[in-house]
Amino acid sequence: MQEKFYITTAISYPNGKPHIGHAYEAIAADAIARFHRLSGKDVRFQTGTDEHGLKMVQTARDKGVDVRDLCREMSDQFQAMCDTLNISYDNFQRTTDPMHHTASQAIWQAMAANGDLELGRYEGWYSVRDEAFYEEKELTLGEGGVKLSPQGTPVEWTVEENWRFKLSRYQEPLLKLYAEHPEFIQPDSRRNEVINFVKGGLQDLSVSRTSFDWGVKVPGSEGHVMYVWVDALTNYLTGLGYPDMDGDMAKYWPADLHLIGKDIVRFHAVYWPAFLMSAGLPLPKQVFGHGFLLARGGEKMSKSLGNVVDPIALAEQFGVDNLRYFLLREVSFGQDGSYSPEAIVTRCNAELANSFGNLAQRVLSMIAKNLDGELPELVTPPNGSADWELMTSISTDVHQTIIDFELLSFQGGMNEWIRAVYNCNQYIDSQAPWALRKTDPTRMQQVLGHLVAAIHLLAITIQPIIPTAAGELLDQLGIPRPPENTPEWLHHRGYEALNRTDWYEELRASGHRIAPPTPIFPRLDMPVDEPA
Ligand code: MSP
């Protein structure tokens, strides 16, 4: 049976426009989803918006608009961002969707049936910005003696009658989960933080609010809406049709990967598994907390600092694939990283335009010009030492790239990939097929044949990162775009390229002719500093 892979991003608060941090998470999740599709899995990919909570109410009030209208307008912007960035989501889940209310009430009832919810009085610290409750001991003092959450956001004293979830009951089961499944929280550094937090003792959690009504109604409890994180986390189930346990729930749950930022690991690695245990549902396999993308100079992005970067403007300026390539290449996944327009231009010009693009351009135009666009024969196994060296290094690098991508090490994988590209460029320079055209046309064909085989592998391997450009290159070569030419290629084709020619023969037999290529990776111009 086809293996499944269910991946989700966090659902964003649409109280402001999407920024580059949201784009980063969506791009990373998309690359992972595409990678798993490429390896033949039945992938389900969900993203969406988190539209309840006090923050949305306050933003709507400040803007003087109806909260529903704000949600619709802003959620559309998040969805448009995903579409612009070529994010291949299967479901964009909004929490204002009636299906989501049904799912949230169902998980609530399951937790209640397990005896984990009780009515009580809550007094404590609440951060509207984080939509989170904090303990006194977690707070720090900011300027002017203002109390701040661990995320640096202001907290306010809240007194309310509300429902409480018996989180304290789950301390031991959670610690057991982390011990038995070290892969549950990744990267490791985040796991240690969570373990320390849980070992420090878990307080019961306030899970309903009565001071406003913008949320999912608590079943059978007039005047209470659910604490926004209870319904937000449930989005991962809503999208699969929960509480119907057949259909997509049976097919895709539990999630294989919840991809989120480091600031919300606690909600996903502590509260969420506790809610699921309480409701008797299987637990996700992994929560990965990626790092933060920082503005120029390593500053945190914030509206008040005025350094929030609009991902759509960046995509328009540099191109979607360039932006995707840069973000995954530049930042070690899991760590924080920073971005600047100059760095995007330098990186993309060096690696995409001047190296991969130039390689493809040179090889394809030579075939178009000298062989009437017909693919040359591929000699396997490679017979000369240079050919052998090229093909072994390419297949080893591609194989390593695949292993790295599987482990979410984009930077490492792309490092191997670009090394393979450099090797091809060295090979083409040392073999000089343009000179062979007159002296030894058969040899020229052999050289071009190896290069086509190499470019084919390189294009498919990088396709999850730069799907449009890689797809165009495959089209120019006449190679069906993935996933049509998968599912097994990932594991075998790198090595098969050395010894087998059947896939290549098929390509030749298709009669595809390579037309004079149009460049796929145009050079970017260095941005000119705008006067401040
Ligand atoms: N609504 C909650 C998530 C609920 S998930 C059930 C939320 N929303 S958010 O809009 O604040 O953040 C959405 C995602 O973007 C989170 O994973 C967050 O960590 C991530 N990022 C927000 N700013 C970021 C950067 N500057 N850099 C990278 N990711 C960042 O939290």
Side-chain angles (χ1 to χ4, degrees):
M1 209 180 71
Q2 196 184 11
E3 213 182 314
K4 67 90 186 172
F5 189 82
Y6 179 31
I7 173 170
T8 64
T9 65
I11 48 172
S12 306
Y13 292 124
N15 65 321
K17 282 175 186 283
H19 60 61
I20 187 77
H22 298 123
Y24 176 59
E25 184 169 304
I27 289 171
D30 184 62
I32 300 168
R34 287 178 188 270
F35 174 79
H36 283 278
R37 279 191 207 109
L38 204 53
S39 51
K41 290 189 192 150
D42 174 2
V43 172
R44 173 91 179 177
F45 173 18
Q46 178 166 304
T47 185
T49 42
D50 183 0
E51 304 177 20
H52 295 128
L54 198 48
K55 182 149 62 176
M56 291 305 290
V57 177
Q58 289 183 351
T59 310
R61 201 186 299 142
D62 292 347
K63 289 183 182 262
V65 296
D66 183 85
V67 66
R68 274 172 200 78
D69 295 341
L70 176 74
C71 288
R72 147 93 22 231
E73 189 203 325
M74 298 309 292
S75 174
D76 284 353
Q77 290 197 24
F78 276 84
Q79 192 162 5
M81 174 196 79
C82 288
D83 294 338
T84 303
L85 298 175
N86 212 355
I87 307 302
S88 59
Y89 58 86
D90 298 293
N91 184 34
F92 189 93
Q93 188 61 54
R94 298 186 55 193
T95 55
T96 41
D97 176 356
M99 295 264 295
H100 177 68
H101 287 235
T102 309
S104 305
Q105 289 172 339
I107 196 171
W108 181 282
Q109 274 159 331
M111 296 192 292
N114 201 42
D116 284 329
L117 296 175
E118 68 182 11
L119 209 50
R121 188 181 141 83
Y122 174 82
E123 284 191 30
W125 295 104
Y126 193 74
S127 156
V128 178
R129 208 104 54 85
D130 304 347
E131 297 280 16
F133 298 99
Y134 292 104
E135 291 172 38
E136 179 85 42
K137 65 180 182 205
E138 296 185 274
L139 305 179
T140 53
L141 280 186
E143 269 175 42
V146 184
K147 289 194 193 273
L148 299 176
S149 80
Q151 307 293 339
T153 59
V155 292
E156 58 196 51
W157 185 251
T158 312
V159 182
E160 259 178 54
E161 185 213 43
N162 53 24
W163 287 94
R164 298 168 74 76
F165 174 76
K166 293 187 182 161
L167 185 63
S168 49
R169 277 191 177 171
Y170 291 91
Q171 180 166 353
E172 287 315 312
L174 285 169
L175 289 172
K176 188 160 173 267
L177 166 71
Y178 310 144
E180 284 172 2
H181 293 281
E183 75 290 355
F184 178 70
I185 309 172
Q186 283 296 316
D188 289 343
S189 53
R190 311 244 188 273
R191 184 171 66 245
N192 298 334
E193 281 167 29
V194 171
I195 292 177
N196 289 337
F197 172 73
V198 175
K199 278 194 176 152
L202 291 176
Q203 307 275 326
D204 290 346
L205 184 68
S206 166
V207 286
S208 76
R209 309 295 309 268
T210 49
S211 52
F212 59 97
D213 65 356
W214 181 239
V216 178
K217 300 215 169 339
V218 171
S221 192
E222 194 63 29
H224 285 253
V225 290
M226 289 179 199
Y227 167 42
V228 62
W229 273 98
V230 176
D231 95 70
L233 289 160
T234 307
N235 93 88
Y236 302 132
L237 301 174
T238 307
L240 300 182
Y242 179 79
D244 178 1
M245 292 302 288
D246 302 326
D248 284 339
M249 268 305 279
K251 201 160 161 197
Y252 296 110
W253 191 257
D256 294 84
L257 178 60
H258 289 316
L259 184 68
I260 53 160
K262 63 177 185 180
D263 56 328
I264 53 172
V265 169
R266 182 187 298 183
F267 300 94
H268 284 79
V270 182
Y271 302 164
W272 183 226
F275 296 162
L276 289 167
M277 284 182 207
S278 171
L281 289 166
L283 305 184
K285 296 193 186 136
Q286 187 167 89
V287 170
F288 189 100
H290 62 72
F292 259 45
L293 213 55
L294 306 169
R296 199 196 286 264
E299 269 174 0
K300 200 173 167 180
M301 272 182 281
S302 81
K303 275 189 226 158
S304 51
L305 287 172
N307 60 358
V308 178
V309 179
D310 174 9
I312 307 288
L314 277 185
E316 273 166 11
Q317 190 174 1
F318 301 115
V320 171
D321 277 344
N322 282 327
L323 181 62
R324 293 172 60 112
Y325 185 87
F326 171 80
L327 289 176
L328 297 177
R329 172 86 173 105
E330 195 80 6
V331 183
S332 169
F333 202 56
Q335 314 279 316
D336 291 348
S338 64
Y339 119 93
S340 77
E342 295 76 17
I344 299 183
V345 172
T346 307
R347 175 71 76 181
C348 293
N349 279 351
E351 298 185 356
L352 292 179
N354 297 349
S355 299
F356 190 48
N358 194 25
L359 167 70
Q361 187 69 15
R362 288 205 278 181
V363 172
L364 268 66
S365 10
M366 280 204 75
I367 295 173
K369 208 148 105 201
N370 302 312
L371 301 175
D372 216 8
E374 224 172 284
L375 282 176
E377 217 175 301
L378 179 66
V379 181
T380 48
N383 54 11
S385 64
D387 301 357
W388 180 260
E389 241 172 64
L390 175 80
M391 294 314 283
T392 30
S393 77
I394 300 288
S395 59
T396 315
D397 285 341
V398 160
H399 201 71
Q400 193 54 47
T401 303
I402 291 161
I403 293 170
D404 281 343
F405 283 180
E406 214 145 14
L407 297 171
L408 308 187
S409 168
F410 294 113
Q411 199 179 43
M414 290 163 85
N415 220 5
E416 311 287 340
W417 179 84
I418 196 68
R419 192 166 64 203
V421 171
Y422 292 151
N423 279 340
C424 287
N425 276 326
Q426 264 164 19
Y427 174 84
I428 194 168
D429 288 342
S430 69
Q431 299 303 308
W434 46 88
L436 293 168
R437 190 165 59 95
K438 291 229 172 73
T439 55
D440 190 349
T442 314
R443 176 67 193 146
M444 175 193 76
Q445 293 210 22
Q446 287 176 2
V447 169
L448 291 174
H450 289 306
L451 286 165
V452 169
I455 291 173
H456 161 243
L457 285 173
L458 293 169
I460 296 189
T461 311
I462 203 68
Q463 184 267 350
I465 315 284
I466 48 170
T468 306
E472 277 170 25
L473 182 52
L474 291 171
D475 288 351
Q476 292 187 0
L477 284 165
I479 298 169
R481 288 189 186 203
E484 287 75 10
N485 62 352
T486 55
E488 294 283 72
W489 79 271
L490 269 178
H491 299 294
H492 303 298
R493 202 163 283 181
Y495 288 115
E496 278 180 3
L498 290 173
N499 300 308
R500 285 176 50 179
T501 53
D502 44 356
W503 60 272
Y504 193 91
E505 286 314 322
E506 247 172 60
L507 194 60
R508 291 187 76 211
S510 74
H512 176 80
R513 276 179 190 249
I514 292 175
T518 38
I520 295 172
F521 301 99
R523 272 183 68 85
L524 300 173
D525 292 327
M526 207 37 108
V528 186
D529 255 354
E530 283 170 30

